[in-house]
Amino acid sequence: MLDSNMKPETLAAQALGWVDPTTKEIVGQIHTSTTYIRDADNQYRNGRVYARDHNPTFEQAESVLNALEGGGQTLLFASGMAAATAVFQALSPGDHVIAPKVMYWALRNWLKTFAVRWGLSVDFVDMDSLDAVRAAIRPGKTKLVWIETPANPTWIVTDIAGVASIAHEAGALLAVDSTCATPVLTRPIEFGADIVMHAATKYLNGHSDVVAGTLTCSPALATAEMWTRVRAVRGQIGGIAGPFEAWLLTRGMRTLFPRVRTACANAQRVAEHFAAHAGVVEVLYPGLPGFAGHAVAARQMQGGFGGMLSIRIKGGEAAAIAVAANTQLWKRATSLGGVESLIEHRSSVEGEGSPAPVDMLRLSAGIESADDLIADLEQAIASAR
Ligand SMILES: *Cc1c(COP(=O)(O)O)cnc(C)c1O
């Protein structure tokens, strides 16, 4: 195994430097066994009992991500949604949580329906305002603040350290959906977060061929009752990834750094190119100096501002949909964080309550040539006008 003080890019590229002690292979096996032998005296000294809780293929993916996030423990789930909802299910009916107005839409819908029916009270606030977060705290009642930064689909930036201190003062935990920042750009635990969540479906795996999610706790939270409950939710409800998905995820994370850095550079080029374009109303991207959250993003994102941006097209909803219809290279599809560039009209996907303007297209920059990506958008805008 590599020295854990090595740089994250080194730890990722070699999946912590793991080598199988028996075969000497450098790529782990896909472990499919659902059960493990007990010792003759009825003990389980190897620590594994049954595959709803224990699987060596998960453990490899979990330990790579845990090192990249600087966490206390990482748990792999069947999807980003299974991971995120496990945090809320570890709370108790009557608890109050604060969530962002701008966030991953399916989780917002779940909070508004299932979580509320189950007895959580949820307030949605403007997470780019620390005053709004402070005002939403209910002393003694607020147990969790959930943030996402940069936040889907308008890329609002939240000050992680600022919200962490407000949450902690109130005795609440801070959880961060860091899917779009990735540990390449931001390590939320260093800014005071207690839990980091990823839709591993996106950048961590990176190849649009795995659905998975993760939760990482801070070293301090690893021994807390709350984290024990989160682990119990996974084990009891069984929202676990399959061994093949876990294996693909470890494989994907080996190239996380170069993929994310290329996606960031491409997004920055595209954002700058279209920022003052005649066919464009506005480009939403944390890497543009004029963007509202730019200064906070520059403080808490290192080496780039992410691969995600949104572009508002002149001519309204019909023009935006026509631009998406005319792209060749940018694939018209949902999801994000893969090596191929994707484009999507979000307001028609998210429906009522979406913060996405109707003239807005969401773009996930892949790792193709930035010149080709820009040329394709140029021709799509020109033919839609
Ligand atoms: C995709 C996504 C999720 C949900 O992850 P799934 O793996 O699709 O369940 C959560 N948050 C963000 C920011 C996402 O992009």
Side-chain angles (χ1 to χ4, degrees):
M1 298 293 279
L2 297 178
D3 175 347
S4 62
N5 290 324
M6 284 187 175
K7 300 274 191 250
E9 17 312 56
T10 307
L11 298 173
Q14 298 203 3
L16 306 182
W18 179 89
V19 175
D20 185 272
T22 319
T23 64
K24 305 297 178 192
E25 63 199 354
I26 64 166
V27 173
Q29 293 288 331
I30 303 175
H31 296 275
T32 57
S33 184
T34 55
T35 193
Y36 304 88
I37 289 285
R38 240 182 224 278
D39 300 330
D41 61 357
N42 225 26
Q43 305 283 305
Y44 274 112
R45 280 188 196 75
N46 83 44
R48 298 188 191 101
V49 178
Y50 184 60
R52 204 172 57 233
D53 278 308
H54 306 128
N55 182 303
T57 320
F58 298 179
E59 289 159 18
Q60 196 178 16
E62 290 171 343
S63 52
V64 171
L65 182 59
N66 201 59
L68 299 183
E69 288 290 3
Q73 190 183 27
T74 294
L75 297 174
L76 179 62
F77 288 79
S79 67
M81 283 297 288
T85 55
V87 177
F88 294 97
Q89 290 176 87
L91 298 172
S92 303
D95 287 349
H96 175 241
V97 306
I98 302 174
K101 280 186 183 162
V102 178
M103 68 185 295
Y104 180 67
W105 70 292
L107 185 57
R108 183 177 62 236
N109 285 349
W110 184 86
L111 288 172
K112 282 186 171 165
T113 53
F114 185 92
V116 168
R117 215 160 53 229
W118 187 56
L120 292 181
S121 59
V122 188
D123 276 322
F124 295 91
V125 308
D126 291 314
M127 278 298 174
D128 52 353
S129 159
L130 293 180
D131 288 339
V133 180
R134 223 174 270 117
I137 292 277
R138 292 193 209 156
K141 284 263 185 197
T142 306
K143 295 291 156 58
L144 177 75
V145 181
W146 181 275
I147 66 175
E148 177 180 331
T149 184
N152 247 301
T154 53
W155 316 114
I156 283 173
V157 177
T158 299
D159 176 348
I160 303 171
V163 176
S165 66
I166 295 169
H168 293 161
E169 239 168 73
L173 296 175
L174 173 66
V176 182
D177 181 341
S178 197
T179 298
C180 292
T182 81
V184 176
L185 309 175
T186 305
R187 295 174 15 132
I189 290 168
E190 288 175 359
F191 293 94
D194 302 288
I195 298 175
V196 181
M197 174 252 155
H198 287 283
T201 311
K202 314 293 171 51
Y203 289 99
L204 294 184
N205 179 64
H207 292 76
S208 307
D209 53 10
V210 166
V211 176
T214 62
L215 294 176
T216 301
C217 68
S218 67
L221 195 71
T223 53
E225 196 205 330
M226 171 67 180
W227 187 250
T228 306
R229 286 199 301 269
V230 168
R231 216 169 28 229
V233 170
R234 185 184 73 161
Q236 290 162 352
I237 297 179
I240 52 163
F244 183 50
E245 283 71 19
W247 183 87
L248 278 173
L249 176 58
T250 299
R251 174 194 168 121
M253 284 191 291
R254 286 178 175 239
T255 56
L256 178 67
F257 281 78
R259 282 189 288 102
V260 168
R261 284 174 178 156
T262 304
C264 285
N266 283 351
Q268 185 78 38
R269 283 264 325 267
V270 171
E272 285 170 5
H273 181 91
F274 290 99
H277 191 278
V280 167
V281 177
E282 185 185 16
V283 174
L284 304 171
Y285 184 61
L288 293 175
F291 188 75
H294 178 71
V296 176
R299 216 162 52 227
Q300 67 189 24
M301 300 179 85
Q302 258 178 21
F305 294 90
M308 298 301 299
L309 70 156
S310 292
I311 297 184
R312 296 181 56 200
I313 303 294
K314 261 187 203 154
E317 178 168 17
I321 291 171
V323 169
N326 287 329
T327 56
Q328 303 294 321
L329 192 54
W330 294 83
K331 293 289 178 283
R332 235 174 358 268
T334 198
S335 199
L336 58 96
V339 290
E340 62 286 304
S341 294
L342 302 179
I343 189 164
E344 191 178 39
H345 183 250
R346 279 309 290 180
S347 78
S348 54
V349 172
E350 299 189 9
E352 210 181 311
S354 169
V358 296
D359 59 2
M360 192 195 85
L361 295 171
R362 184 184 80 176
L363 285 80
S364 172
I367 63 167
E368 307 91 337
S369 144
D371 293 339
D372 289 341
L373 292 174
I374 289 169
D376 187 44
L377 279 174
E378 278 283 8
Q379 70 74 25
I381 291 172
S383 46
R385 294 184 93 194

